[in-house]
């Protein structure tokens, strides 16, 4: 069997999933957390089991060794040479990358060149790559980019109304994120609908702690809510989404804080957490709503309104909408938020949904719109690791 490993390396974490290809069977999955600390956590699921241990994980090299040793020790693979390819998630590909590519020295240099656009992510992604490359030298290694799927947007969508040289010289433009997720669910919903992507207009809602919405026409992105950074777009777990930029200087003066400190508030203390005062976790906000917490109720209303604003604009840009797709943690599981969002869209899109069916749909593929709805509404769990593995397997065989 050909085995392909999908790797998502963060600054202090590493998620992984091993597939048997081309059947796309998941052999194991896991995560290593708190890399760099003496009380790191290593969790792995395989053969219906789940193992978890706390140990010293000083760096990504040790994390990679833990993963690969576990694959052999737990007899998930007999030997590491069975892993023929490794797909690595890279957050930012700028304008250089429109698809998954081989991890060549030239491509690595381009990713490093983009470090300033994703300083918390790209360097960590490359550290993870180098760790696995060292241990799996004979495997094919590939890079899949969060930004790549969005590179079909036209200039009138991705260029900001700033001095044009900020775009040409400093690379300031709309890039978008969560591209592998939007790519997977837009393709998958076409399959579920029995339609070709050509001629299909879809709006995909990746709603997690980070959240973005994308308009997909004929299988290609024409607009997305996130912009230059993952801070922009709709309201999120701890992020503001779009706000008046003059608020930054106003708060700097009023609170005697630096721009960096204000952006820290925008990124980590705002969104659902900032409005509700309860949590950034939609589940805890939902519990507070059921208890009658007025700020939690307001949080849901603001979130739904922000989504309506974006979906409405994208619907006008698409001309008509064939399907709306909910995915990611909140989108797949928060039935109350889905209902609140759909209620704001019903009249404008002539959309109807089955409320009881929505209420019991969590984490599974399901059509929740009614037969008389002009727009189909789907819940489709995302599978970014599968996208990484498919692309790595394809490039390995080319």
């Amino acid at each position: 069997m050909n085995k392909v490993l999908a790797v998502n390396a963060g600054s202090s974490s590493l998620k992984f999933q091993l597939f048997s290809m081309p059947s796309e069977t998941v052999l194991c999955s896991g995560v290593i957390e708190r890399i760099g600390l003496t009380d790191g956590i290593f969790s792995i699921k395989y053969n219906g089991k789940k193992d978890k241990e706390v140990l010293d994980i000083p760096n990504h090299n040790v994390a990679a060794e833990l993963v690969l040793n576990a694959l052999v020790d737990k007899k998930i693979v007999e030997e590491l040479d069975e892993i023929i390819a490794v797909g690595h998630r890279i957050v930012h590909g700028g304008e250089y990358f429109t698809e998954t590519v081989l991890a060549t020295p030239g491509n690595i240099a381009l990713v490093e060149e983009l470090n300033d656009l994703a300083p918390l992510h790209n360097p960590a992604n490359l550290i993870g790559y180098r760790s696995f490359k060292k241990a799996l030298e004979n495997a094919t290694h590939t890079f899949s980019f969060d930004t790549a799927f969005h590179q079909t947007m036209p200039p009138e969508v991705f260029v900001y109304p700033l001095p044009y040289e900020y775009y040409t010289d400093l690379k300031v433009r709309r890039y978008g994120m969560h591209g592998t997720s939007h790519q997977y669910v837009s393709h998958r919903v076409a399959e579920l609908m029995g339609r070709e992507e050509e001629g299909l207009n879809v709006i995909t809602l990746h709603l997690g702690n980070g959240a973005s919405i994308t308009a997909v026409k004929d299988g290609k992105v024409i607009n997305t809510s996130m912009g230059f950074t993952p801070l922009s777009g709709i309201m999120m777990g701890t992020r503001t989404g779009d706000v008046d930029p003059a608020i930054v200087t106003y708060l700097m003066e009023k609170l005697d804080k630096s721009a960096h400190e204000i952006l820290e508030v925008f990124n980590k203390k705002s969104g659902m957490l900032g409005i509700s005062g309860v949590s950034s976790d939609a589940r805890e906000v939902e519990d507070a709503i059921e208890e009658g917490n007025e700020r939690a109720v307001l949080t849901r209303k603001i979130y739904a309104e922000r989504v309506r604003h974006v979906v409405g604009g994208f619907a006008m840009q698409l001309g008509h909408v064939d399907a709306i797709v909910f995915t990611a943690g909140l989108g797949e599981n928060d039935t109350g938020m889905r209902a609140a969002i759909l209620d704001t869209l019903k009249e404008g899109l002539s959309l109807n949904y089955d409320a009881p069916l929505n209420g019991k749909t969590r984490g599974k593929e399901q059509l929740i719109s009614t037969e008389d709805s002009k727009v189909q509404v789907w819940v489709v769990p995302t599978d970014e690791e599968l996208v990484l593995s498919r692309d790595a397997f394809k490039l390995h065989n080319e």
Side-chain angles (χ1 to χ4, degrees), residues 15-320:
K15 297 177 183 178
F16 64 93
Q17 203 158 332
L18 184 69
F19 292 84
S20 174
M21 302 296 277
S23 67
E24 301 182 351
T25 304
V26 178
L27 301 176
C28 75
S29 64
V31 60
I32 296 180
E33 302 168 273
R34 299 172 64 82
I35 296 173
L37 301 175
T38 56
D39 57 347
I41 303 169
F42 177 32
S43 304
I44 183 170
K45 296 178 183 178
Y46 65 102
N47 297 333
K49 306 174 186 176
K50 181 176 180 179
D51 294 343
K52 181 177 180 179
E53 55 182 322
V54 177
L55 66 169
D56 183 9
I57 309 175
N59 54 52
H60 284 74
N61 284 330
V62 171
E65 288 176 11
L66 281 170
V67 172
L68 297 174
N69 288 339
L71 297 182
V72 176
D73 294 344
K74 299 178 187 300
K75 303 190 184 304
I76 300 166
V77 301
E78 292 185 11
E79 53 187 31
L80 292 179
D81 285 345
E82 293 175 29
I83 301 173
I84 60 168
V86 185
H88 299 269
R89 179 206 180 202
I90 306 290
V91 164
H92 219 302
E95 294 185 325
Y96 294 133
F97 302 104
T98 60
E99 59 187 358
T100 297
V101 298
L102 294 170
T104 63
N107 287 334
I108 292 168
L110 290 175
V111 171
E112 289 176 328
E113 185 182 319
L114 296 166
N115 280 353
D116 285 347
L117 297 182
L120 299 178
H121 297 92
N122 275 26
N125 299 155
L126 285 175
I127 289 171
Y129 155 71
R130 291 187 172 105
S131 297
F132 280 93
K133 175 65 176 176
K134 181 179 179 181
L136 299 170
E137 192 172 356
N138 295 325
T140 299
H141 292 259
T142 60
F143 291 157
S144 295
F145 303 89
D146 278 13
T147 52
F149 187 51
H150 300 300
Q151 290 304 299
T152 52
M153 290 186 293
E156 61 268 27
V157 169
F158 70 70
V159 175
Y160 287 118
L162 294 166
Y164 192 66
E165 59 269 23
Y166 292 1
Y167 164 56
T168 56
D169 299 348
L170 301 175
K171 301 183 174 68
V172 176
R173 54 156 285 180
R174 180 180 302 280
Y175 288 104
M177 294 291 165
H178 305 132
T180 49
S181 176
H182 291 292
Q183 179 183 351
Y184 174 80
V185 297
S186 61
H187 176 74
R188 180 59 183 152
V189 80
E191 293 179 335
L192 292 168
M193 295 172 70
R195 296 274 302 272
E196 297 293 329
E197 289 185 284
E198 187 74 27
L200 191 66
N201 289 353
V202 179
I203 298 177
T204 52
L205 287 75
H206 177 104
L207 307 180
N209 193 45
S212 63
I213 302 173
T214 296
V216 183
K217 187 178 187 68
D218 302 325
K220 294 180 172 60
V221 174
I222 64 167
N223 209 336
T224 193
S225 61
M226 275 187 176
F228 181 62
T229 73
L231 178 58
S232 62
I234 65 169
M235 174 183 179
M236 300 174 229
T238 62
R239 300 176 206 157
T240 58
D242 291 340
V243 295
D244 184 338
I247 293 173
V248 175
T249 51
Y250 175 82
L251 292 177
M252 287 171 64
E253 293 171 2
K254 291 293 184 181
L255 302 176
D256 192 26
K257 291 181 180 291
S258 67
H260 178 79
E261 289 173 321
I262 297 299
L263 285 179
E264 189 81 355
V265 173
F266 281 21
N267 269 300
K268 296 182 179 180
K269 298 179 181 179
S270 302
M272 287 186 169
L273 173 62
I275 296 298
S276 72
V278 173
S279 174
S280 63
D281 190 318
R283 292 167 294 190
E284 295 181 16
V285 173
E286 187 172 21
D287 291 341
I289 289 171
E290 292 177 1
E291 294 168 2
N293 184 308
E294 291 185 4
R295 282 175 58 181
V297 172
L298 178 61
T299 300
R300 176 175 284 177
K301 288 181 177 179
I302 294 174
Y303 195 102
E305 180 57 35
R306 288 299 185 97
V307 171
R308 172 165 66 171
H309 177 79
V310 173
V311 171
F314 286 0
M316 290 295 291
Q317 190 176 355
L318 286 166
H320 76 274

